[in-house]
Amino acid sequence: MDGIALVVFLAVVVEKVVEIFKDIVYAIPIFPDKFRPLTLEVLSLACGLLLAFQSGINALELLDVKIINPMIGIGITGLVIGKGSNFAHDFFHSFSKNKKSLM
């Protein structure tokens, strides 16, 4: 599978996992209302980071960005995955548009 397609696929998986846990988080009666969205956001980012590190996918490497430590690229990829498929699409679309204008 193409690397960028894998990032978008994993972002969709994270969105669906968080959607499942959304009902659980909102069903907990002792949990304050103001912390529920934050809990879902943290869960989303944690799932994204976990999937990125487990798959070893580095979006910066896919985009030909040279970095010394590849773990930073994997971490950034995890954050992109954790933010969801729309964010991942926008991230790659804007990066590829900027890359074309530099050439």
Side-chain angles (χ1 to χ4, degrees), residues 34-75:
K34 65 181 177 180
F35 290 119
R36 289 178 177 159
L38 178 64
T39 302
L40 294 173
E41 187 72 24
V42 169
L43 176 67
S44 176
L45 292 175
C47 287
L49 287 168
L50 178 71
L51 287 173
F53 278 102
Q54 288 298 314
S55 63
I57 190 161
N58 183 345
L60 297 179
E61 186 178 283
L62 295 172
L63 296 170
D64 295 327
V65 175
K66 307 295 182 211
I67 56 174
I68 295 172
N69 187 354
M71 296 306 267
I72 293 174
I74 294 172

Side-chain angles (χ1 to χ4, degrees), residues 76-96:
I76 290 172
T77 305
L79 295 176
V80 170
I81 291 171
K83 287 301 288 179
S85 59
N86 286 335
F87 182 80
H89 176 266
D90 293 344
F91 175 80
F92 287 113
H93 181 71
S94 66
F95 192 90
S96 65

